[in-house]
Amino acid sequence: MDWRARGLCLRRDPDLFFPIGSVNSGPVAFQTDEAKAVCRRCPVTEQCLAWAVDAGPVEGIWGGTTEGERRAMQRRAARESAATETAA
């Protein structure tokens, strides 16, 4: 079975996972937190996050992260990889 068919987001309004506006402002922050709460209970969060990271820049909440959080994760991974290569 495809991991996407088991996502809890399928039972929610898709707009919840695509907040419009600044993440640090009232309603958008609330919506983001609500979407992340769904992700925290979801059985396929890890697969969802891995897909979003592999797919590149995708908008919305995927695997319990925002696009900005995923970019930060990728930058950290790139720095760690560069540091490992330099140390070798």
Side-chain angles (χ1 to χ4, degrees):
M1 174 185 289
D2 187 10
W3 64 266
R4 291 173 285 195
R6 297 181 302 146
L8 294 181
C9 56
L10 292 178
R11 297 180 192 97
R12 301 297 300 261
D13 180 354
D15 289 342
L16 175 65
F17 299 91
F18 297 93
I20 298 174
S22 172
V23 173
N24 297 324
S25 67
V28 173
F30 178 78
Q31 183 179 351
T32 299
D33 289 345
E34 189 175 341
K36 287 180 173 186
V38 172
C39 294
R40 282 191 295 273
R41 296 186 314 272
C42 186
V44 296
T45 300
E46 290 180 22
Q47 296 95 323
C48 181
L49 177 57
W51 176 86
V53 169
D54 289 344
V58 290
E59 294 182 9
I61 309 298
W62 292 87
T65 62
T66 64
E67 184 178 355
E69 291 166 339
R70 291 188 299 275
R71 279 194 307 268
M73 290 170 58
Q74 290 173 316
R75 285 192 303 270
R76 271 193 307 275
R79 280 194 306 270
E80 290 170 4
S81 177
T84 301
E85 290 176 10
T86 302

